[in-house]
């Protein structure tokens, strides 16, 4: 048996008995067309005064119902947000022509103009319609609409549309963010209305002190009367202000009836504007979410390098947040309470579209204004609206890029453990306005993704480094061994000669006469002579074991071996004891520097940093810059941590930390790339008469320069010693050049090319001028007792230059002979005879080169 169908009467009776259900059903199911019909029908017999003037809608039951259901109708539009944003065609309600509107009575006209804005969600179009309709309703000549912006404590009005008349198009009237007018609450007529919610009807604008006459002067338009009224939300908050200027008809003054019409229409406009703003916010939020998702995809797709992931993050962020420039600073790892420092930084300007590493001037600018450091330290978000006049931070001018900061938003970046790992800084909103709360909210979401990206990338890089470290450790362990007990006992029992017998105090010291055991006992004597073993309570067996282990951990390469480390340590000893440096540096510093000298080339492979990078060795993966120097330091720590090898074991906690820090800095200072960066500062300090070197940074600089002076000190030795050492250095360089040719298929630089060894005297002169002469000259200026080092360099330069001149003369003479012979026989040689002559010429060049080398070169 089929179900009985309900009759219309039964449904109507049910709805009348359950009005709550009827209202809920209507509010959720009614279409905009149904609401329009309802408003039109009920508007004809309600909410109108006896004289035909529209009365306050809220004052009548039916008027309140109209408002209530008008609000409900705005949520009845079907379709998803995505479909609305995508621009899918939607039906539009077209307003009738002005001729038709003029033929309507006031009730019909009012309803028609309400219907005109009922379904409009685009806030610009809606605002234009409101003003066009207000102009028609009140016979106003020009209309303007101002919308409220800012937070509760900093509210202001912006001119969405300005001076709209009946012929104005939307494109002509709308103001962009760049040229919009901003009016604070309480300022001028519009600001007064926004602040007080009062209606202002001015008969003569020039008699009102709030009126700004300058606008008339600029535009040439004469303002007579003004009607200005607030637009409120259904909660009573001001969301905008509408203003009408100069009534066209009558005596050009707005009447009480105009005020009433204006107020009633703006009531509906407030609802429409609220919904349009909500829709605009939803669209913006949707777009931001899409961009954040895109950012997330980019971050998690690229995790192999920090540079790569930051490149993606900044490129997305500058589009998302619409700013002129964005900086990101990555923090060094630090313990809680320690001063923060930045490991690296990235810089992207919207106009350049390329992420760069900031230059020195930019990093100095950032350090001086202190904003990034403040945010990293405190975790506080900074929103500086007027950078030029900010009292907390002197933002200043970035001389490195010529960039001038107007406003700034700076926020910390946290990792998954809620620890600050970086700082992101937005500079200059493209619109020229300060960053708003919505920018802060988006920036917070961006910073969360940045934190995840940086954390994941760092974890990945750490994993790669651990794998590389494991590979290096396995290689080292397979090659090296620590000192055996019997070796330690043997050294402990050896006689230790005096420093004078070893000639350790001399800058002309020569290790050639010392056997291998002699280098060890001489090393012990250096520590004894400085009284370091006694002062720092180093067990004698530990000192002996440590020296033996260090010696064993040097590979048997041509030059960078144990003998080189021993000679570097001896020069350091001589600088301290004979060169007067013991007056400047402390005993703990001497201890750290001697240990650094012995360890500064541990596990050297006979190849330099550039070769590690070219060959993509595990070391180059493990250490980005100063590759070998970092490895030497790590190897030094590994030996110290081995059982029975820690010569620092009796130091206090603070002494130990200080010593390890000095040790690391000293070993890294032997990288000539760092020497070039620091040499200028050292020279300037000495020229300025620095004597006491109290500041930690200055002392660290001095120790670093001492390490360089000791590392290349073979250039200061007597000529015969210098020639012998130069032969060893050149031999090791040529061996690397051979490896580059054979294993890498690359042409080595001249100083490592065996085929260009005849040019070595000239290259030695260049090496002395570029590296050695400046550092020894500066030390001689600092302390006259160090002058023997400078004199030794000068003497060796003369010898090398003399050899270079002799070689050039021999080559020149041979070239002249070859050219004369070639001229006589020119034109007679066939192709085959030319080839034979070329071979003969090369043979002669080799003969001359051999003769020349026999005269000057120790490298042959």
């Amino acid at each position: 048996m089929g179900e009985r169908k309900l009759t219309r009467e039964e449904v109507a009776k049910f709805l009348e008995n359950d009005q709550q259900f009827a209202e809920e059903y209507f509010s959720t199911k009614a279409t905009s067309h149904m609401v329009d019909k309802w408003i039109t029908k009920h508007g004809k017999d309600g909410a109108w005064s006896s004289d035909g003037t529209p009365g306050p809608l809220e004052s009548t039951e039916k008027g309140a119902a109209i408002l209530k259901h008008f609000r409900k109708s705005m949520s009845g539009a079907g379709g998803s947000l995505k479909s609305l944003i995508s621009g899918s065609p939607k039906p539009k309600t077209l307003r009738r022509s002005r001729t038709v509107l003029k033929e309507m009575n006031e009730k019909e006209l009012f309803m028609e103009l309400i219907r005109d804005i009922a379904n409009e969600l685009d806030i610009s179009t809606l605002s234009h319609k409101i003003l066009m309709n207000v102009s028609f309703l009140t016979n106003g000549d020009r209309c303007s609409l101002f919308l409220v912006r800012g937070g509760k404590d900093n509210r202001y009005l912006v001119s969405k549309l300005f001076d709209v008349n009946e012929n104005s198009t939307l494109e002509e009237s709308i103001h962009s963010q760049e040229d919009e007018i901003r009016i604070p609450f309480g300022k001028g007529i519009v600001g007064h209305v926004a602040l007080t919610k009062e209606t202002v009807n001015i008969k003569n604008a020039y008699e009102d002190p709030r009126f700004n006459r300058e606008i008339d002067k600029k535009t040439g338009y004469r303002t007579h009367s003004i009607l200005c009224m607030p637009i409120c939300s259904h909660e009573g908050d001001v969301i905008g202000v509408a203003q009408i200027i100069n009534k066209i008809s009558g005596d050009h003054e707005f009447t009480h009836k105009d005020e009433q019409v204006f107020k009633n229409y703006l009531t509906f406009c407030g609802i429409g504007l609220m919904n349009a703003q909500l829709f605009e916010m939803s669209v913006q939020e949707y777009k931001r979410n899409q961009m954040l998702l895109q950012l997330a995809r980019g971050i998690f797709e690229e995790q192999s390098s920090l540079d790569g992931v930051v490149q993606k993050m900044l490129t997305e962020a500058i589009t998302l947040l619409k700013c002129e420039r964005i900086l990101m600073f990555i923090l060094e790892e630090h313990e809680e309470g320690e001063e923060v420092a930045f490991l690296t930084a990235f810089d992207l300007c919207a106009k350049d579209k390329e992420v760069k590493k900031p230059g020195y001037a930019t990093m100095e600018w950032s350090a001086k204004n202190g904003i990034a450091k403040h945010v990293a330290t405190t975790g506080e978000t900074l929103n500086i609206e007027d950078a030029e006049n900010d009292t907390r931070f002197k933002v200043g001018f970035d001389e490195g890029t010529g960039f001038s900061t107007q406003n700034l938003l700076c926020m910390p970046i946290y990792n998954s453990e809620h620890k600050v790992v970086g700082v992101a800084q937005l500079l200059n909103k493209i619109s020229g306005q300060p960053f708003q709360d919505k920018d802060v909210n988006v920036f917070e979401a961006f910073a969360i993704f940045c934190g995840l990206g940086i954390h994941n990338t760092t974890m990945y890089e750490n994993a790669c480094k651990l794998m590389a470290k494991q590979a290096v450790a396995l290689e080292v362990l397979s090659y090296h061994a620590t000192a055996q007990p019997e070796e330690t006992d043997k050294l402990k029992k050896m006689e230790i000669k005096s420093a004078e017998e070893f000639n350790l105090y001399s800058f002309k010291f020569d290790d050639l006469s010392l056997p291998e055991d002699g280098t060890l006992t001489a090393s012990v004597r250096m520590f004894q002579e400085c009284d370091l073993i006694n002062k720092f309570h180093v067990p004698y067996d530990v000192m002996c074991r440590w020296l033996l282990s260090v010696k064993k951990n040097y590979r048997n390469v041509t030059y960078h071996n144990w003998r080189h480390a021993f000679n570097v340590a001896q020069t350091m000893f001589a600088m301290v004891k004979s060169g007067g440096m013991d007056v400047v540096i402390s005993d703990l510093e001497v201890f750290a520097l001697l240990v650094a000298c012995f360890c500064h080339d541990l596990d050297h492979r006979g190849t330099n940093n550039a070769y590690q990078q070219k060959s993509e060795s595990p070391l180059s993966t493990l250490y980005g810059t100063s590759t070998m120097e970092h490895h030497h330091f790590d190897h030094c720590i590994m030996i110290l941590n081995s059982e029975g090898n820690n010569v620092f074991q009796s130091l206090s906690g603070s002494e130990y930390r200080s010593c390890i820090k000095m040790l690391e800095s000293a070993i890294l200072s032997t990288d000539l790339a760092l020497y070039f960066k620091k040499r200028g500062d050292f020279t300037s300090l000495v020229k300025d008469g620095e004597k006491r070197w109290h500041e930690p940074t200055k002392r660290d600089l001095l120790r670093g320069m001492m390490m360089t002076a000791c590392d290349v000190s073979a250039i200061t030795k007597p000529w015969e010693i210098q020639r012998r050492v130069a032969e060893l250095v050149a031999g090791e360089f040529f061996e690397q050049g051979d490896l580059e040719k054979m294993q890498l298929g690359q042409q080595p630089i001249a100083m490592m090319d065996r085929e260009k060894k005849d040019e070595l005297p000239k290259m030695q002169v260049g090496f002395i001028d570029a590296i050695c002469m400046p550092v020894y000259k500066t030390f001689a200026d600092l302390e006259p007792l160090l002058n023997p080092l400078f004199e030794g360099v000068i003497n060796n330069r003369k010898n090398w230059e003399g050899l270079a001149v002799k070689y050039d003369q021999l080559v020149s003479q041979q070239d002249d002979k070859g050219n004369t012979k070639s001229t006589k026989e020119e034109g007679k040689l066939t192709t085959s005879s030319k080839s034979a002559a070329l071979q003969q010429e090369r043979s002669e060049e080799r003969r001359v080169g051999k003769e020349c080398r026999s005269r000057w070169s120790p490298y042959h």
Side-chain angles (χ1 to χ4, degrees):
M1 186 176 180
E3 292 183 1
R4 185 177 69 84
K5 292 184 178 180
L6 293 173
T7 64
R8 291 174 62 89
E9 290 76 12
E10 290 174 325
V11 173
K13 186 176 181 180
F14 172 79
L15 293 175
E16 288 173 2
N17 293 333
D18 194 341
Q19 290 191 3
Q20 183 178 354
F21 174 82
E23 183 178 328
E24 291 175 356
Y25 185 83
F26 180 81
S27 64
T28 55
K29 300 297 183 180
T31 64
S32 58
H33 179 68
M34 292 168 63
V35 175
D36 285 344
K37 288 181 67 176
W38 188 94
I39 291 173
T40 302
K41 179 179 178 181
H42 290 268
K44 289 179 180 178
D45 53 5
W48 297 85
S49 62
S50 58
D51 63 353
T53 305
L57 287 178
E58 294 92 334
S59 64
T60 67
E61 183 180 349
K62 289 185 178 179
I66 291 174
L67 292 176
K68 182 176 181 180
H69 289 283
F70 180 84
R71 296 182 188 118
K72 293 286 186 180
S73 73
M74 302 307 274
S75 62
S80 66
L81 180 61
K82 185 176 181 180
S83 67
L84 290 170
I85 294 172
S86 66
S88 303
K90 54 182 181 284
K92 287 195 177 278
T93 305
L94 298 176
R95 196 183 75 175
R96 300 181 188 183
S97 67
R98 296 180 69 87
T99 304
V100 175
L101 291 174
K102 287 179 179 179
E103 294 175 356
M104 294 181 179
N105 62 43
E106 286 185 305
K107 299 176 184 178
E108 292 173 340
L109 174 62
F110 199 77
M111 291 303 118
E112 178 63 22
L113 296 185
I114 291 174
R115 187 182 300 110
D116 183 41
I117 65 171
N119 292 321
E120 186 57 63
L121 289 175
D122 179 74
I123 196 163
S124 298
T125 305
L126 175 64
S127 299
H128 186 255
K129 283 185 175 183
I130 288 172
L131 293 183
M132 294 292 285
N133 294 343
V134 164
S135 175
F136 187 85
L137 283 169
T138 61
N139 283 322
D141 185 29
R142 297 194 179 187
C143 306
S144 300
L145 180 65
F146 301 85
L147 298 180
V148 175
R149 295 286 186 265
K152 289 183 179 180
D153 299 328
N154 184 30
R155 291 191 301 170
Y156 57 91
L157 296 155
V158 296
S159 55
K160 189 66 179 176
L161 291 98
F162 193 74
D163 269 1
V164 176
N165 57 49
E166 62 179 4
N167 299 315
S168 299
T169 64
L170 174 62
E171 291 72 20
E172 293 171 344
S173 308
I174 194 165
H175 278 193
S176 63
Q177 283 188 325
E178 288 76 13
D179 57 11
E180 67 186 10
I181 301 170
R182 295 182 66 176
I183 303 174
F185 268 42
K187 186 174 181 180
I189 297 171
V190 173
H192 172 80
V193 170
L195 183 65
T196 63
K197 301 182 185 179
E198 295 175 358
T199 297
V200 172
N201 189 347
I202 301 172
K203 308 299 182 183
N204 187 339
Y206 279 74
E207 293 179 357
D208 195 301
R210 295 168 298 187
F211 176 70
N212 185 1
R213 303 185 183 191
E214 294 300 317
I215 296 177
D216 277 9
K217 289 181 181 179
K218 289 180 180 179
T219 61
Y221 180 83
R222 175 74 179 186
T223 301
H224 297 284
S225 56
I226 299 174
L227 179 58
C228 192
M229 193 172 290
I231 303 173
C232 298
S233 67
H234 63 276
E235 295 176 350
D237 297 324
V238 176
I239 61 172
V241 173
Q243 178 178 269
I244 318 169
I245 296 175
N246 292 355
K247 188 174 177 71
I248 297 172
S249 59
D251 57 1
H252 304 294
E253 295 179 356
F254 295 101
T255 64
H256 177 71
K257 180 180 178 181
D258 294 327
E259 289 183 29
Q260 207 63 49
V261 170
F262 197 21
K263 182 178 180 181
N264 284 335
Y265 192 69
L266 290 186
T267 302
F268 290 97
C269 295
I271 300 168
L273 283 172
M274 279 292 294
N275 282 281
Q277 287 179 336
L278 287 172
F279 177 76
E280 185 181 56
M281 290 169 58
S282 299
V283 171
Q284 290 175 350
E285 194 63 33
Y286 176 84
K287 289 180 178 179
R288 289 191 194 103
N289 289 340
Q290 291 299 307
M291 295 186 76
L292 287 172
L293 287 172
Q294 178 64 29
L295 173 64
R297 280 194 290 269
I299 289 172
F300 294 118
E301 286 173 359
E302 173 57 68
Q303 295 186 8
S304 58
S305 75
L306 183 61
D307 288 12
V309 76
V310 171
Q311 170 91 27
K312 289 201 170 187
M313 287 191 296
L314 297 192
T315 303
E316 292 287 346
I318 208 162
T319 303
L320 176 66
L321 297 159
K322 294 181 173 58
C323 58
E324 294 180 5
R325 186 181 184 188
I326 182 166
L327 288 162
M328 183 177 289
F329 302 89
I330 307 300
L331 269 66
E332 287 183 350
E333 287 191 10
H334 63 284
E335 297 298 327
E336 190 173 350
E338 288 184 359
E339 186 177 0
V340 299
F342 296 113
L343 177 67
T344 187
F346 302 87
D347 188 4
L348 174 62
C349 285
K351 62 180 181 179
D352 296 334
K353 300 180 180 179
E354 180 184 355
V355 177
K356 300 176 181 177
K357 295 288 182 74
Y360 176 80
T362 297
M363 294 301 290
E364 277 290 295
W365 166 70
S366 178
K368 285 180 181 178
N369 65 49
I371 294 172
K373 190 172 183 178
H374 173 82
V375 171
T377 304
T378 64
E380 176 188 358
T381 295
L382 288 179
N383 188 357
I384 300 176
E385 296 185 1
D386 186 358
E388 188 174 342
N389 299 313
D390 190 79
T391 56
R392 296 169 297 170
F393 302 96
K394 295 181 179 179
V395 179
F397 178 77
D398 181 5
E399 294 180 355
T401 60
F403 188 89
S404 179
T405 304
Q406 307 304 320
N407 46 67
L408 179 149
L409 180 60
C410 191
M411 187 174 291
I413 299 172
Y414 295 94
N415 62 10
S416 58
E417 299 169 355
H418 202 68
K419 183 179 180 182
V420 177
V421 294
V423 172
Q425 208 173 78
L426 307 181
L427 307 178
N428 292 4
K429 190 84 172 166
I430 289 177
S431 65
Q433 304 298 331
F435 292 94
Q436 306 297 322
D437 290 344
K438 62 182 180 181
D439 297 314
V440 176
N441 294 335
V442 176
F443 199 25
E444 282 179 347
F446 164 75
I448 291 171
F449 283 110
C450 288
L452 290 171
I454 292 170
H455 177 74
N456 290 345
T457 305
T458 304
M459 293 292 288
Y460 178 83
E461 288 183 342
N462 287 342
C464 291
K465 285 183 178 180
L466 285 173
M467 291 174 65
K469 202 165 190 173
Q470 184 182 29
V472 173
L474 288 172
E475 181 188 0
V476 170
L477 290 173
S478 66
Y479 187 88
H480 299 298
T482 56
Q484 300 301 312
E486 56 270 20
E487 294 175 311
T488 305
D489 291 339
K490 179 183 176 182
L491 180 57
K492 281 172 60 179
K493 295 174 183 178
M494 282 185 176
E495 178 189 358
I496 308 298
K497 296 179 181 179
S498 69
E500 289 76 12
E501 289 180 273
F502 283 121
N503 198 28
L504 292 175
Y505 283 95
S506 175
F507 289 113
K508 297 179 180 181
F509 174 81
D510 185 8
D511 70 304
L512 183 63
S513 61
L514 289 178
E516 290 299 302
D517 288 345
T519 61
L520 290 166
T521 54
S523 299
V524 173
R525 173 53 65 190
M526 290 184 211
F527 286 97
Q528 289 177 334
E529 203 70 11
C530 294
D531 200 24
L532 300 174
I533 295 176
N534 178 50
K535 285 181 179 177
F536 297 108
H537 310 292
V538 184
Y540 191 65
D541 63 325
V542 172
M543 176 58 70
C544 294
R545 188 179 299 106
W546 175 79
L547 281 169
L548 285 163
S549 296
V550 168
K551 181 176 181 294
K552 282 199 168 191
N553 279 269
Y554 274 95
R555 299 194 181 198
N556 189 26
V557 295
T558 305
Y559 174 68
H560 288 97
N561 49 38
W562 161 253
R563 287 270 176 172
H564 166 64
F566 170 71
N567 278 287
V568 171
Q570 185 278 325
T571 303
M572 181 64 74
F573 174 84
M575 288 184 75
V576 171
K577 303 301 286 186
S578 303
M581 296 307 293
D582 54 348
V583 178
V584 181
I585 60 176
S586 67
D587 291 334
L588 188 64
E589 288 174 303
V590 173
F591 195 11
L593 287 173
L594 279 178
V595 170
C597 288
F598 280 111
C599 297
H600 83 282
D601 273 331
L602 276 169
D603 194 45
H604 202 291
R605 287 91 189 283
T607 51
N608 63 10
N609 289 337
Y611 182 82
Q612 304 304 321
Q613 299 292 333
K614 289 178 185 178
S615 63
E616 298 180 350
S617 69
L619 284 176
S620 67
T621 304
L622 185 57
Y623 312 106
T625 57
S626 301
T627 302
M628 292 306 301
E629 289 74 23
H630 276 107
H631 177 56
H632 302 323
F633 170 70
D634 281 356
H635 207 85
C636 170
I637 297 300
M638 185 182 76
I639 293 174
L640 287 171
N641 289 336
S642 300
E643 186 176 356
N645 282 280
N646 190 358
V647 292
F648 299 146
Q649 66 185 41
S650 299
L651 298 179
S652 67
S654 60
E655 286 177 330
Y656 185 84
R657 287 190 295 272
S658 178
C659 209
I660 294 298
K661 191 173 182 179
M662 288 189 288
L663 184 63
E664 179 180 19
S665 178
I667 292 177
L668 293 183
S669 294
T670 59
D671 182 357
L672 288 178
L674 298 180
Y675 160 72
F676 283 120
K677 290 180 181 179
K678 298 179 179 180
R679 185 176 68 188
D681 293 337
F682 179 61
T683 303
S684 297
L685 286 172
V686 174
K687 283 184 178 179
D688 292 342
E690 181 67 48
K691 295 293 184 183
R692 308 185 74 177
W693 305 88
H694 280 330
E695 295 179 21
T697 53
K698 292 180 181 179
R699 296 186 75 83
D700 182 63
L701 179 62
L702 175 63
R703 292 193 299 267
M705 290 298 111
M706 289 178 69
M707 287 297 296
T708 300
C710 295
D711 194 19
V712 297
S713 61
I715 204 72
T716 69
K717 300 289 185 180
W719 174 241
E720 291 304 318
I721 300 174
Q722 158 62 188
R723 286 182 63 188
R724 187 177 72 244
V725 174
E727 180 178 2
L728 296 174
V729 176
E732 188 172 286
F733 281 177
F734 294 153
E735 288 167 8
Q736 177 175 320
D738 295 341
L739 287 174
E740 291 183 17
K741 289 178 182 178
M742 293 184 292
Q743 296 186 4
L744 305 181
Q746 297 180 3
Q747 181 62 33
I749 59 176
M751 68 185 298
M752 295 187 177
D753 190 349
R754 195 181 295 276
E755 295 178 5
K756 296 182 180 180
K757 56 188 174 182
D758 298 337
E759 300 175 14
L760 209 55
K762 188 182 295 184
M763 287 187 281
Q764 281 289 90
V765 172
F767 174 72
I768 291 172
D769 290 344
I771 296 171
C772 306
M773 195 73 77
V775 70
Y776 292 118
K777 174 67 170 65
T778 306
F779 270 113
D781 292 340
L782 173 65
E783 174 52 67
L785 291 175
L786 296 174
N787 198 57
L789 294 171
F790 182 49
E791 291 175 350
V793 175
I794 293 174
N795 291 334
N796 285 326
R797 188 189 186 285
K798 289 178 182 177
N799 289 324
W800 284 118
E801 189 172 34
L803 292 175
V805 170
K806 289 179 182 179
Y807 173 71
D808 287 343
Q809 289 173 348
L810 285 172
V811 172
S812 178
Q813 291 172 7
Q814 185 60 35
D815 287 344
D816 291 341
K817 291 179 182 179
N819 290 336
T820 302
K821 183 178 179 181
S822 177
T823 302
K824 289 180 179 179
E825 297 184 358
E826 187 176 359
K828 298 180 181 180
L829 295 173
T830 62
T831 303
S832 58
S833 62
K834 283 182 180 180
S835 177
L838 182 61
Q839 291 177 2
Q840 183 179 356
E841 184 177 339
R842 288 176 176 171
S843 175
E844 184 65 14
E845 286 178 356
R846 286 193 292 271
R847 185 191 67 75
V848 173
K850 184 175 181 180
E851 178 185 349
C852 186
R853 288 194 301 273
S854 67
R855 295 185 181 187
W856 64 261
S857 176
Y859 307 104
H860 177 63

PDB file of all heavy atoms in Angstrom, residues 33 293 382 548 653 723 759:
ATOM      1  N   HIS A  33      16.213  34.556  -5.179  1.00  0.00           N
ATOM      2  CA  HIS A  33      15.021  34.991  -5.916  1.00  0.00           C
ATOM      3  C   HIS A  33      13.779  34.963  -5.013  1.00  0.00           C
ATOM      4  O   HIS A  33      12.943  35.885  -5.043  1.00  0.00           O
ATOM      5  CB  HIS A  33      14.824  34.071  -7.126  1.00  0.00           C
ATOM      6  CG  HIS A  33      13.601  34.436  -7.941  1.00  0.00           C
ATOM      7  ND1 HIS A  33      13.515  35.609  -8.659  1.00  0.00           N
ATOM      8  CD2 HIS A  33      12.429  33.762  -8.127  1.00  0.00           C
ATOM      9  CE1 HIS A  33      12.334  35.664  -9.257  1.00  0.00           C
ATOM     10  NE2 HIS A  33      11.665  34.554  -8.962  1.00  0.00           N
ATOM     11  N   LEU A 293      50.348  25.601   0.933  1.00  0.00           N
ATOM     12  CA  LEU A 293      50.455  24.197   0.516  1.00  0.00           C
ATOM     13  C   LEU A 293      51.529  24.026  -0.549  1.00  0.00           C
ATOM     14  O   LEU A 293      52.285  23.051  -0.542  1.00  0.00           O
ATOM     15  CB  LEU A 293      49.098  23.705  -0.008  1.00  0.00           C
ATOM     16  CG  LEU A 293      48.016  23.461   1.055  1.00  0.00           C
ATOM     17  CD1 LEU A 293      46.676  23.163   0.387  1.00  0.00           C
ATOM     18  CD2 LEU A 293      48.409  22.309   1.977  1.00  0.00           C
ATOM     19  N   LEU A 382      58.672  41.309  15.839  1.00  0.00           N
ATOM     20  CA  LEU A 382      58.752  42.766  15.743  1.00  0.00           C
ATOM     21  C   LEU A 382      58.055  43.247  14.474  1.00  0.00           C
ATOM     22  O   LEU A 382      58.357  42.765  13.389  1.00  0.00           O
ATOM     23  CB  LEU A 382      60.211  43.222  15.706  1.00  0.00           C
ATOM     24  CG  LEU A 382      61.016  43.116  17.004  1.00  0.00           C
ATOM     25  CD1 LEU A 382      62.444  43.581  16.774  1.00  0.00           C
ATOM     26  CD2 LEU A 382      60.379  43.941  18.111  1.00  0.00           C
ATOM     27  N   LEU A 548     104.133  10.367  20.753  1.00  0.00           N
ATOM     28  CA  LEU A 548     104.289   9.178  19.889  1.00  0.00           C
ATOM     29  C   LEU A 548     103.037   8.961  19.030  1.00  0.00           C
ATOM     30  O   LEU A 548     103.143   8.627  17.845  1.00  0.00           O
ATOM     31  CB  LEU A 548     104.553   7.948  20.751  1.00  0.00           C
ATOM     32  CG  LEU A 548     105.970   7.842  21.345  1.00  0.00           C
ATOM     33  CD1 LEU A 548     105.992   6.841  22.489  1.00  0.00           C
ATOM     34  CD2 LEU A 548     106.962   7.441  20.251  1.00  0.00           C
ATOM     35  N   GLY A 653      87.808  22.982  34.323  1.00  0.00           N
ATOM     36  CA  GLY A 653      86.790  22.986  33.268  1.00  0.00           C
ATOM     37  C   GLY A 653      86.881  24.200  32.370  1.00  0.00           C
ATOM     38  O   GLY A 653      86.831  24.089  31.129  1.00  0.00           O
ATOM     39  N   ARG A 723     116.404  25.781   0.382  1.00  0.00           N
ATOM     40  CA  ARG A 723     116.433  25.040  -0.896  1.00  0.00           C
ATOM     41  C   ARG A 723     115.988  23.602  -0.690  1.00  0.00           C
ATOM     42  O   ARG A 723     115.233  23.049  -1.485  1.00  0.00           O
ATOM     43  CB  ARG A 723     117.850  25.074  -1.482  1.00  0.00           C
ATOM     44  CG  ARG A 723     118.239  26.421  -2.072  1.00  0.00           C
ATOM     45  CD  ARG A 723     119.631  26.357  -2.660  1.00  0.00           C
ATOM     46  NE  ARG A 723     119.690  25.422  -3.761  1.00  0.00           N
ATOM     47  CZ  ARG A 723     120.830  25.052  -4.351  1.00  0.00           C
ATOM     48  NH1 ARG A 723     121.988  25.507  -3.910  1.00  0.00           N
ATOM     49  NH2 ARG A 723     120.811  24.214  -5.373  1.00  0.00           N
ATOM     50  N   GLU A 759     109.746  27.229 -13.910  1.00  0.00           N
ATOM     51  CA  GLU A 759     109.237  28.552 -13.543  1.00  0.00           C
ATOM     52  C   GLU A 759     109.162  28.729 -12.025  1.00  0.00           C
ATOM     53  O   GLU A 759     108.668  29.749 -11.535  1.00  0.00           O
ATOM     54  CB  GLU A 759     107.835  28.757 -14.130  1.00  0.00           C
ATOM     55  CG  GLU A 759     107.783  28.661 -15.649  1.00  0.00           C
ATOM     56  CD  GLU A 759     106.355  28.750 -16.187  1.00  0.00           C
ATOM     57  OE1 GLU A 759     105.466  29.152 -15.411  1.00  0.00           O
ATOM     58  OE2 GLU A 759     106.143  28.406 -17.361  1.00  0.00           O
TER      59      GLU A 759
END
